[in-house]
Amino acid sequence: MNAPAHAAQLQPRIDPRPVPQALLDALSQRFGAQLSTAQAVREQHGRDEGSIQAPPPAAVVFAESTQDVQDAMRLAAQHEVPVIAYGAGSSLEGHLLAVQGGISIDVGRMNKVLSIDADDLTVTVQPGITRKALNEAIKDTGLFFPIDPGADASIGGMAATRASGTNAVRYGTMRENVLALEVVTANGDVIRTGTRAKKSSAGYDLTRLMVGSEGTLGIFTEVTVRLYPLPEAVSAAICSFPSIEAAVRTVIQTIQLGVPIARVELIDANSVRMVNAHSRLALREEPMLLMEFHGSAASVQEQAETVQGIASEFGGQAFEWASTPEERTRLWTARHNAYFAAVQSRPGCKAISTDTCVPISRLADCLLASVDEADASGIPYFLVGHVGDGNFHFGYLINPAVPEERERAEQLNHRLVARALSMGGTCTGEHGVGVHKMGFLVDETGAGAVDMMRAIKRALDPKNILNPGKIFAL
């Protein structure tokens, strides 16, 4: 398998633009204590959970309202200085890096629930509220917001990266669940896209254009999302398998039979071992599926029995139920901590993370070939996946002081992406392009499509000040 024609960015091109003192003075006058130029604050806002590094922004504005974002954006536009929106800092592909300098606008203080419309199954929030805080705020309504990317990400950041996660197989991604947005544009105007109505044929779908734009077309200041009734019954189960192939074949047959499973996560033996050490569990150190079923008590039992029967056909064993909220939380917390468990398994390491997604019919072929390559490389790795929708993640654990290890990990990543693309898949199922996958975007969509994206970017942000140097180069 040849690597894609365009490599991922090992290190981004650093081309900072000057940030004039006049802008910093104007920001200080407008924002006072809401502006920080402290080194520690700037460094915090100049990195994410990924392994790529760049110099920090020149200043951080802590916005508390749409007006704050608008005023900061207008001042930056006057001086043609880049602006990078910051939510929870949990992204992985370099979205937050100030590769062309500029200022960061932190919307974390914009964390209010603005309106709950329970009858319409919608809620409107500010962008800085996290998914856990949102669900806590609406827990008395009998509704919940299901999108769960693992990290306690902000709703604005999740919309910006078109996030999904463990529940996507049943509830979809942010693409399907964002109904409307309030957006501050590159010149400081405020626009609204979409409505709370379930559908519309009115003009261009600007909401879908903005969702997944990674802060390059505007900064979100309000987000309206779908809610769902809390299921009457919830049950989780784990099942161990003799091989990754057996686990994946179980998932494929489950999906093809139309079982409405809510979550189905693959955890390879390496990851189970790391999670056991990190979370003090005693799970069987074999490939494992972690599953969750939603519905009425009868439907949950029927779904679970169907899947248990399928798993048995492929050698699944040690099928264990987690019926209480405490048991389910313990298992899902361990899954969500798999990344941190892996990083701690090799002190001082960095994880080169992958994020491909393929049609479910090609999942086994893509995954197994990629496992063989990873095993042969000698690079320690972990493997987890939201395999119900064909999405999986390798994390190659490298010593950042050894360039050869990074190069080998990136080669594995390149070959994996090439394989996924050749099977009709994508270079990123949910993490986004950011800096790291800019080259892969060309391989996936073609130069013509990227040129169209550039044309949209130039039309909406002619000064190229909204998170420049991300997704594609201008």
Side-chain angles (χ1 to χ4, degrees), residues 355-376:
D355 172 35
T356 49
C357 185
V358 296
I360 191 73
S361 63
R362 303 305 307 272
L363 176 61
D365 296 335
C366 188
L367 220 168
L368 295 172
S370 302
V371 166
D372 287 344
E373 283 189 345
D375 285 337

Side-chain angles (χ1 to χ4, degrees), residues 380-467:
Y381 71 91
F382 65 98
L383 167 63
V384 295
H386 320 309
V387 286
D389 52 16
N391 185 199
F392 61 91
H393 311 277
F394 278 86
Y396 305 111
L397 304 176
I398 66 161
N399 182 342
V402 181
E404 295 81 3
E405 289 194 10
R406 175 180 287 273
E407 183 177 351
R408 265 188 291 161
E410 291 291 356
Q411 288 172 353
L412 290 170
N413 189 16
H414 297 169
R415 287 195 289 269
L416 172 53
V417 170
R419 183 175 297 110
L421 296 182
S422 73
M423 295 178 175
T426 176
C427 66
T428 173
E430 58 187 7
H431 291 171
V433 175
V435 172
H436 190 221
K437 293 190 171 178
M438 288 170 61
F440 293 147
L441 183 65
V442 180
D443 294 296
E444 178 172 332
T445 67
V450 174
D451 283 343
M452 183 176 289
M453 296 179 202
R454 288 193 179 99
I456 294 170
K457 168 71 169 173
R458 291 189 181 108
L460 299 184
D461 182 15
K463 296 178 181 178
N464 190 26
I465 60 173
L466 280 165
N467 206 13

Side-chain angles (χ1 to χ4, degrees), residues 182-203:
E182 181 183 83
V183 183
V184 175
T185 67
N187 62 3
D189 290 341
V190 178
I191 66 166
R192 290 185 175 272
T193 76
T195 69
R196 290 195 298 110
K198 297 301 183 184
K199 61 181 181 179
S200 172
S201 295

Side-chain angles (χ1 to χ4, degrees), residues 134-155:
L134 171 56
N135 277 318
E136 181 66 22
I138 63 175
K139 65 181 181 181
D140 294 333
T141 66
L143 305 172
F144 81 119
F145 178 66
I147 310 304
D148 174 11
D152 191 18
S154 68
I155 298 299

Side-chain angles (χ1 to χ4, degrees), residues 9 11 16 32 60 82-83 107 162 166 231 243 261 318 331 337 340 369 379 387 394 397 410 439 441 458 461 466:
Q9 300 269 37
Q11 286 297 328
V60 179
V83 174
V107 297
R162 202 158 57 221
T166 61
S243 67
I261 194 167
L331 290 178
N337 288 339
F340 302 104
I379 296 286
V387 286
F394 278 86
L397 304 176
E410 291 291 356
L441 183 65
R458 291 189 181 108
D461 182 15
L466 280 165

Side-chain angles (χ1 to χ4, degrees), residues 169 250-259 261 264 310 360 387-389:
V169 64
T250 297
V251 173
I252 292 173
Q253 188 163 329
T254 297
I255 301 302
Q256 291 177 340
L257 285 176
V259 178
I261 194 167
V264 54
I310 295 170
I360 191 73
V387 286
D389 52 16

Side-chain angles (χ1 to χ4, degrees), residues 146-187:
I147 310 304
D148 174 11
D152 191 18
S154 68
I155 298 299
M158 290 168 63
T161 56
R162 202 158 57 221
S164 54
T166 61
N167 277 320
V169 64
R170 177 155 181 169
Y171 298 99
T173 72
M174 290 299 282
R175 180 182 64 185
E176 294 80 32
N177 286 284
V178 176
L179 294 173
L181 295 165
E182 181 183 83
V183 183
V184 175
T185 67
N187 62 3

